[in-house]
Amino acid sequence: MREKLAEIKAIEEDAKAQYTHTVNVCTAAGCLSSGAAQVKEALGKEVERSGLERWCQVKGVGCLGLCTAGPLVEVESQSAMYGHVTVEDTPAIVGGLNTKPVERLRVPTGTPFFLRQNRIVLENSGRIDPERIEEYIAAGGYSGLVTALTEMTPAQVIDEVTASGLRGRGGGGYPTGLKWTTVAKAPGPDKYVICNADEGDPGAFMDRSVLESDPHRVIEGMILAGYAVGASQGYVYVRAEYPLAIEHLKKAISQARRMGLLGRSVAETTFGFNIDIRLGAGAFVCGEETALIASIEGKRGQPRPRPPYPAEYGLWGKPTLINNVESFANIPPIIRNGGEWYASLGTEKSKGTKVFALAGAITNTGIIEVPMGTSLQEIVYEIGGGVPGGGRCKAVQTGGPSGGCIPDAYLDNPVDYDSLRSLGSIMGSGGMIVMDDSSCMVDVAKYFMEFCMTESCGKCVPCRVGTVQMYRLLDKISTGRATLEDLALLENLCDMVQNTSLCGLGQTAPNPVVSTLRYFRDEYIAHIEEKRCPAGVCKIHSSVAQTDSPSYAVAEVAQ
Amino acid sequence: MADNVTLTIDGKQVSAAPGMLLVDAAEIANIEIPVFCSHPKLDPVGCCRMCMVEIEGPRGSRLMTACTTPVAEGMVVHTNTPQVAEVQEANLGFILLNHPLDCPICDKGGECPLQDQTMRFGPGISQLVEPKRLKQKNYDISDMIVLDQERCVLCWRCIRYLEEWEDKPQLGLHNRGNETVIDIQDGQPVDAKTSGNIIDICPVGALTNQISRFAYRPWEVERTASVCNHCSVGCNIRVDTRTHTVRRIIGRENMQVNDQWICDKGRFAHAWVNGENRLETPLLRKNGELVPVQWSEALDFIAEKLQAVKQQHGASAIGAIGSAKIGNESNYALQRLFRSVIGTNNIDHRDGADVAGLATGLPSLAGVMKPQYGPNPQVDTIFLFGIDPSEELPILDLHLKRAVKKGGAKLIIAHPRKIELTRYNGPYLAYEPGTEATLLNGLLRAAAGQKEGLNSTAVSHLADVKKWTEEADDRALADLCRTDPAAVKAAAAMLAKSEKALIIYGPQAARGSDGPAIRDGLANLAFLTGHQDRLAFVGLEANSQGARDMGVLPDRLPGHASIGSSDAVKRLEHLWECKLPTAAGQSYKQMLDGGVKALYVMGADPASERPEWAEKLDGLDLLVVQELYLTETAKRADVVLPALGWSETDATFTNLERRVQRAPKAVALPQSRAAADWAILSHLAQKLGAKWHFADAKALEAEIGKAAPIYRGLTWEALGDQGLQWDASALKSKPELKEVRQKMAKGSKEYPLTLVTGTVLFDGGTLFGATEKLDGVTVGPVVGLSPADATKLGLTEGAAVAVSSPEGSLSLTVHISEQVQPGSAWIPESLPGAPVGALLNGSVVQRVKVEKAA
């Protein structure tokens, strides 16, 4: 198999070398939605029209990161990246191929957005055509798998993962090596590997991007996991709202099967592994692992009490390894380069890099990957380019509905699991929403509470009833009908719902309220006592002149 | 078994089995942890969050749900800290927020866990003043159960009961979050046969009893611990009465019988007790009309007539029919009266001597009846032969499902219909009625071919066995029995391999002239495969076992002694101060076929079974009927005596595993002059010159203990409210192998289908039919056909047809069912207006044709 991979790599490189120019068009969901498909088609026609087809190839690639400037086109030979490209721009781009780049379309690439990133998970994003396994192989893909299957024992694979210090990228931060060890040690012949691709946090789209841009990386990670823990069947649980990710994943699975990398004999060894896709119907709670398992089993998607953890009693009652997309995507490079290499990145307790989705009041909306420990300051103001128009960043919301808002004053803190927790938020899966002074923190808390209330599965009492009550109290506050007693009741409810809910959804649902109360209590008080919304977002009686102020980023991002 | 673990709850040391849930361990220590979703008979779900307790850990104490947390060694638990109290208050606050608090008009009020816990653990006032959510109220989820979605606290007990016990997920959660409601699936009503149990376990008034709705307040009813009289399982129940009427029936725990569950017939079909049209006074035929008379006149008339018939035709011209629906005392009194005072053995009951039943009943049913939570089922394989527990014995059905699902037991089923329990994919042996013994020979032949697992004594006769069973080869099985030979082989292998198999057969498979051959065939199979001690016959009526035990049989005395047994005869002649008749008596069928001149019928209605019998009854010199209602048979009687039924008089019933249980008087009928069956018989005995002095049922029980040694000590007081089992070990006989042959009925071109009959739970019988609210679920006059036969005959669902046999014809509607095997027509017994007896007319195997109604 190693020879086969080498051969494919050689053929790919030869093929690429035939072309003087390679024009990469981002065809991930963000750029597609702003017309990338038409741009790609027009570029192809333009190349043909110019008679350049033997010298120039136009290629669809995965996410180039700077979604805000989509559709993005990159000309490798000219090191030029073009943004906001339209069909009308294509003759100029093709015309400039043999002369000089089209300056008016260029997106500067010497900025911190590109220079400060350290792309491991995203190493192939925007570089390869996600629909062709050959390009993944040419980029070094599946070589780690072949090495593991032929030269390493399952225990050695787990050792590398443990040595890497990788922690669960779904947000929990549980040491991945430890989870793998537990599943590997669990008795019984039938085990499962599940990839959690039910990304549901408002404002988070990292996993979607990885699946769209480099699906084979996730598949390779899952196969390695299967080998390490002794499973022969894997499932990717992906939300049905990600049609492109699903399409790429399906294609990738069938390609891997044809290539002999999935199936009864993976890479010509005695190890067999298969992957099937299961679609989620958009219930946020199905990202919770026990609810996800119930959903795969065809039951109502709702969590059950843990223990037992899925590692012991998971899908169909069998030991099951569940990791999220980004965790699996980290595995191939860890195996390829060694756990020690990975552990050299990041901080003492949070190793490696983390992918974030930047959204909200930020110039460079998009996907970034930075080493753990990078400060929020750097992410927001340097990589992210700050608030559009040079305004002040009021707070950064991390961790989605389970997370919290970190105010401006704390932005110099490093981003890692423990420091975010100490600030009253969480790492979460990597959504990062930047807010400026036009955001009302009561409104933000209310938005997230409404989200949790709607997404509560209804199984346990505190979450089912408590989120509704907290939402109603927040609504009362935001409309100026609340008293200080209501605020006290709200705080009490936060405590009860946190302490008594069955699963993470309910236990963390009060977090946005708790963290905004911690840092922005004065805004709550202003609503209650002065009947005034300092940000001018909430409509309080008729006395407040606010009318059409856009109720802002969070709502938009949620789309 | 691992050692117990020791933990501390509120400072008390508690020793508990490993794996036990904290909530149960606390109960051992007598510490109450409030719960809604948790239920000792259901798997934990942990959704109500009411049972949160503090558990000490390395990083401080944590709040955990006691209903999902197993005990651990050294665990330290607090259930009474301020934090726990705060959580309980908050949780109740949440629950009450959406609860309508319509307690004054809620049937649950007064026995409502939500009320009780709110008083004990709830907040004094509500801080939450938000509007309540509005959902469906008074919403029928079946003809028997009403759902109120507003009262529901979403504890899932009903969902889990239907899933875990019934294996019928007919209720589910719909919508999400605050909009979540419990509802039926796709508009299909809940039709599990034990659905009513969800009413008992509902911790609020969300599920209420349609039949008993608004008919009681829990604190106003009188509660009587009793047993159900609808089938032979003998479920323990509580009868709640007020003002001389039964207000409702609920399940009562007896871990040896029904756990705490009862079926819907037992729960809902009780309107017949003290119902309308009950007989209230004796009736005597004068000038062709039945007219009310005094007891003395009626009894004098009967005594005189009986003596006249005896003088003219001899005692053997007099017969008596008892009833498996009536308690032991009255059946005992009946056979004693006719044996000792009249001097005849012409004593039987329906499905008595005409069915080849074994005396012992289920030998180890307790092993199946006890909840099978898993690791140690007492039997590993259950072979059902000609019995359909889902329709006939619903709580046995529940236990069997549990044994299969949780206990890993295997099911083998032989039945002419593909009954519901075949869904567990054990071998299913379909057979044509009339070929049972051939099928059993085929099984025996296949078992004889097994290399291991056979009884060592029986093995020495293998050559004989192989010779007798030669004809029951694969071809005979396939062509005659219409059984899959591969399934027969698989079943035989399973029986041989099984360590402990239970073989159960019912009256349907052992009726008529072939009955003894079928019984012997089963005995052969049980013996050869090493399960001879666990072959069981179950009657279907509440006192089928008791009627046999009491000697309401033409050839058996009380206690199953043969009429020729000198010990028993001596004992009884001394006890009864008489000379016993020595000749065997006539069976139920023989008496009704015209073998007697005078017939005394207690609680039976042969006239409605078979037209020919009805005619014959008209021609008797004397017909006395002791009944609750003016049945078809009673209408033909010379004297009708009004009897008190179940729940109206003290009685004991013996269930299918020989458990004798009390069914005490729970209601009085002040306006009625009816009397207990045994009391009527007592008075009649006195009129006939015997010295009977039974003051009450207890006096009869005392005598039964003397007459039937197996009942010694089973007095009313000793039975208590859980009953006692009589010991069958004395009745064990030496197993032997017998050659079995069965004459095959000939096929017929004119009548191409074989008639299959049997019992359905919701039939049109007197006891069920009296509860009018259940009309909707009653099985109508239908004939079941396989899809293949329906297509062949060009019939669709609901088509009106005439079904005829050489004996008669019935007008029915077609019901197409996958359960019905091709080549057969299924007509249940006791359907309203359609007695299948018209087609059978006394035969057991009958062929029929189905034609479109003109």
Side-chain angles (χ1 to χ4, degrees), chain A residues 27 115 188 195 278 400 432 543:
Chain A
T27 51
L115 298 179
C195 172
R278 290 289 178 272
M432 212 171 253
S543 63

Side-chain angles (χ1 to χ4, degrees), chain A residues 239-255:
Chain A
R239 47 191 306 193
E241 296 93 325
Y242 283 179
L244 189 66
I246 294 164
E247 191 192 318
H248 286 185
L249 200 53
K250 275 187 182 161
K251 215 172 250 181
I253 289 171
S254 72
Q255 287 168 351

Side-chain angles (χ1 to χ4, degrees), chain B residues 47-348:
Chain B
C47 67
C48 78
R49 319 306 283 176
M50 200 54 214
C51 66
M52 294 206 112
V53 293
E54 269 187 69
I55 300 178
E56 288 182 14
R59 281 170 290 173
S61 74
R62 277 184 70 191
L63 280 169
M64 306 267 278
T65 44
C67 78
T68 60
T69 309
V71 295
E73 182 63 41
M75 193 182 244
V76 180
V77 183
H78 303 280
T79 74
N80 51 9
T81 62
Q83 202 193 357
V84 170
E86 201 187 345
V87 165
Q88 287 166 342
E89 275 194 19
N91 233 324
L92 274 163
F94 285 144
I95 290 173
L96 291 173
L97 186 81
N98 283 322
H99 191 78
L101 294 172
D102 52 357
C103 307
I105 55 151
C106 176
D107 277 349
K108 200 79 176 186
E111 55 180 17
C112 174
L114 180 58
Q115 279 184 332
D116 296 348
Q117 293 192 17
T118 302
M119 298 301 280
R120 268 191 60 138
F121 303 101
I125 52 154
S126 173
Q127 288 178 288
L128 304 169
V129 291
E130 306 297 330
K132 292 175 189 292
R133 61 180 212 154
L134 300 175
K135 297 287 167 200
Q136 298 219 64
K137 292 180 81 73
N138 307 340
Y139 169 48
D140 292 351
I141 57 166
S142 73
D143 283 1
M144 306 162 204
I145 303 172
V146 189
L147 170 66
D148 184 321
Q149 290 176 339
E150 290 184 359
R151 290 180 191 158
C152 175
V153 297
L154 297 170
C155 74
W156 296 30
R157 284 184 181 181
C158 52
I159 296 178
R160 284 179 288 155
Y161 174 79
L162 290 172
E163 279 175 8
E164 294 169 22
W165 285 86
E166 271 286 0
D167 201 9
K168 290 184 178 177
Q170 298 179 333
L171 282 176
L173 293 175
H174 295 249
N175 301 329
R176 305 182 66 80
N178 199 43
E179 298 304 310
T180 309
V181 288
I182 288 199
D183 205 346
I184 50 178
Q185 316 275 22
D186 301 325
Q188 291 298 308
V190 172
D191 71 354
K193 295 288 194 298
T194 68
S195 67
N197 291 313
I198 63 178
I199 302 169
D200 286 356
I201 58 177
C202 180
V204 292
L207 295 165
T208 49
N209 181 326
Q210 177 85 277
I211 313 301
S212 300
R213 199 164 157 76
F214 304 135
Y216 64 93
R217 298 260 71 181
W219 56 89
E220 286 183 339
V221 292
E222 234 180 281
R223 300 155 178 218
T224 309
S226 187
V227 293
C228 179
N229 78 325
H230 280 294
C231 84
S232 54
V233 171
C235 291
N236 287 219
I237 56 171
R238 199 183 83 197
V239 184
D240 286 359
T241 55
R242 188 161 187 262
T243 61
H244 312 305
T245 49
V246 175
R247 298 306 177 109
R248 69 162 172 180
I249 286 173
I250 61 173
R252 180 168 64 86
E253 186 175 84
N254 186 333
M255 295 308 285
Q256 305 300 319
V257 183
N258 54 317
D259 198 311
Q260 69 170 62
W261 316 120
I262 62 174
C263 79
D264 289 351
K265 191 175 190 174
R267 179 183 306 271
F268 300 114
H270 54 71
W272 65 274
V273 179
N274 205 354
E276 279 175 37
N277 307 323
R278 278 286 298 275
L279 294 167
E280 292 184 348
T281 174
L283 303 173
L284 182 63
R285 192 169 296 280
K286 289 181 177 172
N287 303 322
E289 294 285 313
L290 283 169
V291 295
V293 292
Q294 295 295 322
W295 272 108
S296 54
E297 187 182 347
L299 290 176
D300 283 339
F301 176 86
I302 298 166
E304 220 171 88
K305 268 296 222 193
L306 282 175
Q307 271 155 347
V309 173
K310 187 175 172 181
Q311 248 168 21
Q312 201 181 340
H313 304 285
S316 62
I318 299 174
I321 290 173
S323 173
K325 287 187 167 79
I326 293 176
N328 290 323
E329 297 75 6
S330 298
N331 275 306
Y332 172 83
L334 181 79
Q335 62 84 36
R336 181 181 160 180
L337 175 72
F338 284 83
R339 286 202 161 103
S340 71
V341 181
I342 305 290
T344 178
N345 277 321
N346 292 341
I347 297 153
D348 201 0

Side-chain angles (χ1 to χ4, degrees), chain B residues 723-798:
Chain B
L724 287 170
Q725 217 175 353
W726 62 258
D727 179 9
S729 55
L731 294 182
K732 262 187 200 155
S733 55
K734 205 171 150 240
E736 51 179 342
L737 291 164
K738 282 187 200 161
E739 186 173 353
V740 163
R741 297 228 168 264
Q742 186 172 25
K743 221 179 104 192
M744 292 292 163
K746 280 200 190 108
S748 147
K749 277 211 173 120
E750 196 187 348
Y751 299 99
L753 301 174
T754 308
L755 177 61
V756 173
T757 181
T759 311
V760 289
L761 190 65
F762 298 148
D763 63 9
T766 319
L767 300 192
F768 190 78
T771 308
E772 284 170 15
K773 283 181 179 168
L774 297 176
D775 284 354
V777 298
T778 307
V779 178
V782 293
V783 54
L785 292 176
S786 68
D789 286 328
T791 312
K792 214 189 294 171
L793 293 163
L795 296 169
T796 49
E797 180 76 22

Side-chain angles (χ1 to χ4, degrees), chain B residues 288-615:
Chain B
E289 294 285 313
L290 283 169
V291 295
V293 292
Q294 295 295 322
W295 272 108
S296 54
E297 187 182 347
L299 290 176
D300 283 339
F301 176 86
I302 298 166
E304 220 171 88
K305 268 296 222 193
L306 282 175
Q307 271 155 347
V309 173
K310 187 175 172 181
Q311 248 168 21
Q312 201 181 340
H313 304 285
S316 62
I318 299 174
I321 290 173
S323 173
K325 287 187 167 79
I326 293 176
N328 290 323
E329 297 75 6
S330 298
N331 275 306
Y332 172 83
L334 181 79
Q335 62 84 36
R336 181 181 160 180
L337 175 72
F338 284 83
R339 286 202 161 103
S340 71
V341 181
I342 305 290
T344 178
N345 277 321
N346 292 341
I347 297 153
D348 201 0
H349 61 286
R350 181 160 188 268
D351 282 354
D354 298 323
V355 162
L358 295 170
T360 50
L362 280 181
S364 62
L365 187 60
V368 181
M369 296 294 247
K370 276 184 201 160
Q372 297 284 316
Y373 286 116
N376 301 309
Q378 302 199 7
V379 290
D380 56 28
T381 306
I382 299 144
F383 181 19
L384 302 175
F385 194 92
I387 186 162
D388 178 5
S390 314
E391 291 288 350
E392 294 164 348
L393 309 161
I395 296 301
L396 175 62
D397 180 63
L398 208 59
H399 287 309
L400 290 178
K401 285 192 257 198
R402 196 83 172 161
V404 171
K405 278 191 65 189
K406 295 255 174 175
K410 298 189 173 67
L411 268 183
I412 306 169
I413 290 164
H415 201 281
R417 262 184 316 122
K418 197 167 188 303
I419 59 172
E420 200 179 295
L421 283 173
T422 58
R423 68 174 160 143
Y424 293 105
N425 288 333
Y428 166 54
L429 318 174
Y431 65 78
E432 282 263 305
T435 68
E436 295 87 348
T438 308
L439 169 60
L440 287 165
N441 274 343
L443 275 163
L444 197 64
R445 190 178 129 100
Q450 294 296 314
K451 295 200 172 57
E452 279 167 28
L454 301 183
N455 179 293
S456 52
T457 317
V459 160
S460 56
H461 302 285
L462 266 192
D464 290 343
V465 169
K466 285 180 178 160
K467 212 171 85 201
W468 307 331
T469 58
E470 226 166 26
E471 285 173 20
D473 55 9
D474 286 1
R475 234 181 98 184
L477 290 173
D479 294 351
L480 296 173
C481 308
R482 299 200 202 197
T483 310
D484 174 12
V488 171
K489 288 196 182 81
M494 277 166 67
L495 286 171
K497 205 174 151 202
S498 157
E499 293 283 321
K500 266 189 163 185
L502 175 61
I503 305 175
I504 310 177
Y505 73 105
Q508 203 60 44
R511 206 173 265 165
S513 54
D514 286 343
I518 294 161
R519 177 194 59 205
D520 294 345
L522 283 161
N524 286 343
L525 182 65
F527 182 29
L528 184 61
T529 53
H531 309 297
Q532 63 274 8
D533 292 342
R534 289 176 300 277
L535 169 62
F537 167 78
V538 293
L540 301 181
E541 301 290 353
N543 206 24
S544 285
Q545 183 66 42
R548 286 172 180 266
D549 295 348
M550 293 304 110
V552 185
L553 291 168
D555 55 351
R556 297 273 153 180
L557 298 168
H560 299 278
S562 151
I563 49 167
S565 154
S566 54
D567 279 2
V569 168
K570 215 170 109 193
R571 180 177 64 240
L572 291 171
E573 285 185 342
H574 175 74
L575 180 67
W576 294 342
E577 297 173 351
C578 71
K579 191 84 193 131
L580 283 177
T582 51
Q586 299 177 34
S587 75
Y588 181 80
K589 182 171 181 295
Q590 287 166 334
M591 288 188 272
L592 291 162
D593 279 347
V596 293
K597 300 279 183 198
L599 190 59
Y600 197 102
V601 180
M602 176 179 86
D605 187 14
S608 68
E609 277 180 61
R610 190 174 157 188
E612 196 178 281
W613 284 348
E615 269 172 49

Side-chain angles (χ1 to χ4, degrees), chain A residues 283 285 300-302 305 456-462 464-466 468-469 472 489 492-493 496-497 499-502, chain B residues 45-49 52 68 86-87 90-91 94-95 97 127-128 130-131 153-154 156 173 175-178 180:
Chain A
V285 75
R300 190 171 195 264
Q302 56 195 10
S456 165
C457 75
K459 176 169 177 174
C460 78
V461 171
R464 181 177 73 230
V465 185
V468 178
Q469 291 319 304
R472 286 184 181 163
L489 181 58
N492 185 267
L493 289 182
M496 284 300 126
V497 173
N499 280 325
T500 63
S501 290
L502 193 159
Chain B
V45 56
C47 67
C48 78
R49 319 306 283 176
M52 294 206 112
T68 60
E86 201 187 345
V87 165
N91 233 324
F94 285 144
I95 290 173
L97 186 81
Q127 288 178 288
L128 304 169
E130 306 297 330
V153 297
L154 297 170
W156 296 30
L173 293 175
N175 301 329
R176 305 182 66 80
N178 199 43
T180 309

